């Protein structure tokens, strides 16, 4: 997601990472620790949520930035869990946003609850998500971020629009037959593009980088 030494020079090498379980990626041990269980040697983000810091370390390793991790599993732009804009504001209160690059990766939790519970049309979900992304980007810019990058979701669906939510047996994929969510996936991509533009940030697509690595791969 970084673009190399140019970004490191632009912001003095400082960055923050905000988002949901995709960048947080906690295992069960660290997830439980983030929920308050007193487990030794737990890995927690700066929001107190479980993480493995792999995404943070990948950014730091690619461009040398000092990345502070504010991610939390279950986070969203406007729905449940921790809100991305609150992660941004917490980082700003800690003095980590001014002069830094901000990476935002979330959005999946802003889709399926409205589909399953409210039967909301996908274009409406997309528009609401776009507006919430723009608001979070503006919050980062207002807090003095020198660059704000909204990261798109990696490829989720296969060519048939299916996902494989259960992968328990190596080499055996179980697709969700009859459920096509590719329209939701691409709605999220457009919401990220347009939300980043409206908020004054930049959009970074992860589609090419994750091509061939969907949930059924």
């Amino acid at each position: 997601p970084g673009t190399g030494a140019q970004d490191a020079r632009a912001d003095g090498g400082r960055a923050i990472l905000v988002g949901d379980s995709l960048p947080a990626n906690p295992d069960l041990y660290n997830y439980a620790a983030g929920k308050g269980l007193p487990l030794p040697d737990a890995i927690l983000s700066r929001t107190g949520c479980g993480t493995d810091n792999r995404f943070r370390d990948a950014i730091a390793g690619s461009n040398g930035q000092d990345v502070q991790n504010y991610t939390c599993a279950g986070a969203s732009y406007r729905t449940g869990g921790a809100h991305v804009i609150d992660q941004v504001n917490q980082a700003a209160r800690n003095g980590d946003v001014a002069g830094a690059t901000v990476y935002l990766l979330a959005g999946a939790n802003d889709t399926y609850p409205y589909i399953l519970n409210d039967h909301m049309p996908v274009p409406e979900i997309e528009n609401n998500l776009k507006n919430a992304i723009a608001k979070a980007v503006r919050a980062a810019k207002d807090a003095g971020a020198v660059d704000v990058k909204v990261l798109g979701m990696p490829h989720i669906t296969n060519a048939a629009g299916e996902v494989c939510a259960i992968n328990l047996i190596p080499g055996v994929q179980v697709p969700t037959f009859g459920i096509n969510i590719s329209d939701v996936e691409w709605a999220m991509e457009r919401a990220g593009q347009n939300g980043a533009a409206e908020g004054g940030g930049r959009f970074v697509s992860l589609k090419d980088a994750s091509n061939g690595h969907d949930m059924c791969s």
Side-chain angles (χ1 to χ4, degrees):
T3 54
Q6 180 177 356
D7 285 334
R9 290 196 301 269
D11 66 6
R14 296 190 302 108
I16 71 163
L17 172 65
V18 300
D20 59 18
S21 60
L22 188 61
N25 200 41
D27 57 20
L28 289 176
Y29 184 91
N30 291 309
Y31 179 82
K35 293 299 182 181
L37 289 182
L39 301 175
D41 301 320
I43 304 173
L44 303 177
S45 73
R46 297 203 65 184
T47 61
C49 295
T51 184
D52 65 2
N53 282 328
R54 289 176 66 188
F55 205 100
R56 180 204 69 178
D57 294 346
I59 296 174
S62 72
N63 57 28
Q65 289 178 321
D66 176 16
V67 185
Q68 299 297 314
N69 183 355
Y70 282 85
T71 60
C72 192
S76 69
Y77 279 105
R78 60 178 296 269
T79 309
H83 283 176
V84 169
I85 193 170
D86 294 332
Q87 296 173 337
V88 171
N89 290 334
Q90 180 180 352
R93 290 192 297 270
N94 291 341
D96 289 334
V97 175
T101 297
V102 176
Y103 298 91
L104 304 93
L105 178 51
N109 295 324
D110 295 289
T111 60
Y112 64 87
Y114 302 104
I115 296 171
L116 297 176
N117 300 329
D118 303 329
H119 306 289
M120 184 179 291
V122 172
E124 185 176 352
I125 294 172
E126 178 182 337
N127 187 63
N128 291 338
L129 178 56
K130 176 207 70 172
N131 292 337
I133 291 172
K135 186 176 180 180
V137 171
R138 283 193 292 268
K141 297 289 286 187
D142 290 345
V146 297
D147 196 6
V148 182
K149 298 181 180 181
V150 176
L151 310 184
M153 293 291 291
H155 271 296
I156 300 170
T157 59
N158 62 14
E162 301 165 333
V163 295
C164 296
I166 301 174
N167 289 302
L168 299 179
I169 306 173
V172 177
Q173 287 76 43
V174 183
T176 52
F177 293 109
I179 301 177
N180 189 317
I181 64 168
S182 60
D183 57 339
V184 179
E185 177 177 346
W186 289 102
M188 291 174 58
E189 187 85 346
R190 292 188 299 270
Q193 292 172 330
N194 295 325
E198 287 191 16
R202 294 195 284 160
F203 180 73
V204 180
S205 177
L206 300 184
K207 296 301 187 191
D208 287 346
S210 60
N211 192 35
H213 297 278
D214 56 79
M215 290 179 67
C216 293
S217 68

